[in-house]
Amino acid sequence: MRFFLKANFVLIKGVKRGAIYDLKKGDVYDVVPRSVKQLESIEQDEKFWRILVKEGLAIRVKNKPKIVISSPTPKLNFVWLEVNEDCNFKCIHCYGGWGKKRVEKKYKDVNWYKVIDFIKLQKCSQIQIIGGEPLLFPDLKNLIKYSKKVGIELVEVFTNGSLLNDEWLEFFKSMNVDLAISLHTVNDKKFKKITQSKFDVNLILSNIRKAKKIGLKLRVATVVMKQNQNDLVNIQKECPVKNLRFDVVRPSKDLKMGSLLPKKQIQSNLAFFTSPPMKTSKKDFELKKYFNSCWMGRMAITTNGDIIPCIFARTIVVGNINEDSLETAYEKLVEKYWSFNLDKVEKCAGCEYRYVCKNCRPLAMGYSGRLEAPNPYCKV
């Protein structure tokens, strides 16, 4: 008879320490170096193991309890369609620099209907249409109609909300379209400074209320930066919908991050991933053990036809829809980037929390330029 961890507990070793993942209840326990050695030692310390038995982590049996850890089957679940660069805002934090003076377009228009056919062929049922400002895209209504016709269940349009009128709202309602609206402050002076536009923030708030009133499925997104870091409580109070999400500033070569980053305390309280969430599940563990937890199942196609892992990974191009086979580019995406988990990231590969932590490669690449770079905000 020997002591073993129960079947739902998994020990993950780091360079110096370890962690025990409870794949049933979701808890993650820190394990000091001495205890890691005890857990792996052939000569078992009965006093040590009886403590684990008492705490419900271990059991004394003849054969080691087994738990089956399986790799999820790769499947396309979500696609961003960046249909245009045109925008009536010039937001200071925009990762694409939309709305600013741009060079003359030197690429072919994307056949978005061909893209929708491929998405449907992969049995993917969720897309997000973005820009630029997608309401400035001339063929938006037809593209939405076609998407719904072929059976795309969730079509979300991400807009700045300034061009929403009764006609657009009624169309979205009739087509069962979801809306995502950006709202970076409720202070009009700051709003004009952030968006570099002449629009009034009250117009955006009014359009959010109208969308809510007619029953559209709606969420609101705020990018937190130095310019609005003191407005977060007011945004929460005045936002007409409860589904409000705060996100981080995404670095790009055209942004001066020093002028945009909020103070460190706010970074820590948001999605800057300064420490592991310390919660897991069997499904989440399997995903992060074998795949990039953010990229797996996702793909983005930019306005010039580039095929990339996500809308923020602008420099990772696996193909172009106007020049390459979409099927071949998709296979490359799955094989090379969906599988880029934290075992392949500097520092993270030796961390005991690598199968519980988040893995935003564009955030790390934005500061280092390297795919293998660790999260710049990590404090572990």
Side-chain angles (χ1 to χ4, degrees), residues 166-182:
D166 291 343
E167 180 183 343
W168 274 116
L169 291 172
E170 288 301 329
F171 172 76
F172 292 145
K173 176 71 173 178
S174 67
M175 298 303 300
N176 193 27
V177 169
D178 291 21
L179 274 188
I181 301 177
S182 56

Side-chain angles (χ1 to χ4, degrees), residues 341-352:
N341 66 357
L342 289 177
D343 284 324
K344 300 174 182 177
V345 175
E346 296 166 1
K347 182 181 175 182
C348 303
C351 179
E352 59 271 22

Side-chain angles (χ1 to χ4, degrees), residues 253-266:
K253 63 179 181 180
D254 298 321
L255 293 181
K256 296 180 180 179
M257 293 301 291
S259 65
L260 293 171
L261 284 176
K263 56 187 179 183
K264 290 184 178 179
Q265 183 58 43
I266 292 178

Side-chain angles (χ1 to χ4, degrees), residues 347-359:
K347 182 181 175 182
C348 303
C351 179
E352 59 271 22
Y353 300 118
R354 61 190 178 276
Y355 302 138
V356 71
C357 216
K358 296 182 180 179
N359 185 5

Side-chain angles (χ1 to χ4, degrees), residues 207-226:
N207 287 339
I208 293 173
R209 293 187 189 98
K210 289 178 181 178
K212 178 184 177 182
K213 185 176 181 180
I214 67 171
L216 282 174
K217 189 175 180 181
L218 177 66
R219 67 182 179 92
V220 174
T222 298
V223 174
V224 180
M225 61 198 94
K226 185 181 294 184

